[in-house]
Amino acid sequence: MMQESAARVASAVADSVQYHGRKASRRGSEQRRQAILDAAMRIIVRDGVRAVRHRAVAAEAQVPLSATTYYFKDIDDLLTDTFAQFVERSAAYKAGFWDRTQGLLLEQVGKLDGSVESRRQLAEEIARLAVEYVHDQLQNRRSEMVAESAFQQEALLNPRLHEMARAHRKILQQGVIHFFHVLGSQHPEQDARVLTGIIGRMEYQGLLEGPEHLDREEMMSILRRYMHLVLGL
């Protein structure tokens, strides 16, 4: 099943996350460590990765400076663990996303009856769902999208993040690959990469310009055209 495969990948990614900083030994110390990681992520979203410094994070988390250096010996450890936590939480969210989305996609595929018109309707509905997904992400999960963009950029520079970045990207792709399998695509992996690439580009444009400036009709036209190519229309 589409949802099970995507969720399995997400669970595997979450389970594979490794933290490098000092582990907390008591409940109170774990809460403090958590506050430090959350503060670092807020700074990344607001001011960028380069703004993450022990003193800035301590002030944001409202903890003593000594607490940040106790749990994280250097900024590299702090950034790595901040992004590790992001990947862990993002994996859980995306597993839930596929759980909610599976039925919608399979319902649309189930309407295919071999006619050209049914394929056109499917292309239209998939394009609509994709546009709604992008718009929802920009409206309700902008901070997470900025964090993801920062994570991807930092992964280019930090070898410790390379594998996490690849695994994180695979979660979304896996669900789309299974959708194209169900659809009968001869090249589901390639089709999935193209579709997620188109969506990723739209998300980035929305982050730059704001969701209110997105041209939904143009987005629909692009996605509709791609689905027409996939469905042989």
Side-chain angles (χ1 to χ4, degrees), residues 131 134-135 138 202 205-206 209-223:
V131 170
V134 172
H135 190 264
L138 292 167
M202 290 176 174
Q205 183 178 352
E209 301 177 3
E212 67 278 7
H213 296 296
L214 283 177
D215 187 336
R216 293 171 73 101
E217 285 304 316
E218 181 184 44
M219 294 166 67
M220 279 290 297
S221 179
I222 292 170
L223 290 161

Side-chain angles (χ1 to χ4, degrees), residues 68 83 110 130 145 178:
T68 64
F83 284 123
M145 293 176 69
H178 275 267

Side-chain angles (χ1 to χ4, degrees), residues 66-206:
S66 59
T68 64
T69 55
Y70 173 78
Y71 289 110
F72 307 100
K73 69 179 186 300
D74 54 31
I75 292 298
D76 190 42
D77 269 0
L78 177 53
L79 284 174
T80 300
D81 280 12
T82 299
F83 284 123
Q85 178 175 267
F86 164 76
V87 169
E88 196 170 26
R89 291 176 173 177
S90 179
Y93 168 80
K94 289 183 176 180
F97 166 79
W98 282 116
D99 188 28
R100 297 187 301 273
T101 306
Q102 173 200 2
L104 290 173
L105 294 175
L106 294 183
E107 179 183 352
Q108 296 305 316
V109 174
K111 294 179 181 178
L112 289 174
D113 59 11
S115 68
V116 172
E117 182 57 30
S118 69
R119 297 204 305 276
R120 288 188 188 279
Q121 290 178 356
L122 176 61
E124 191 72 17
E125 187 61 19
I126 297 305
R128 186 191 67 79
L129 288 172
V131 170
E132 290 301 323
Y133 169 79
V134 172
H135 190 264
D136 180 71
Q137 291 287 97
L138 292 167
Q139 288 281 30
N140 301 314
R141 302 190 75 251
R142 186 182 187 281
S143 293
E144 289 81 358
M145 293 176 69
V146 172
E148 182 170 3
S149 180
F151 167 57
Q152 292 170 348
Q153 178 65 30
E154 189 65 17
L156 295 175
L157 308 173
N158 187 342
R160 294 164 82 177
L161 299 178
H162 287 178
E163 188 55 40
M164 266 202 303
R166 284 193 291 268
H168 181 256
R169 186 171 59 249
K170 185 178 178 182
I171 297 172
L172 180 60
Q173 286 185 346
Q174 189 67 21
V176 182
I177 287 170
H178 275 267
F179 165 67
F180 280 115
H181 267 299
V182 173
L183 196 57
S185 167
Q186 295 183 354
H187 306 285
E189 292 85 1
Q190 295 175 18
D191 287 336
R193 288 183 181 181
V194 174
L195 181 58
T196 55
I198 292 171
I199 291 173
R201 180 61 187 175
M202 290 176 174
E203 289 177 334
Y204 183 72
Q205 183 178 352

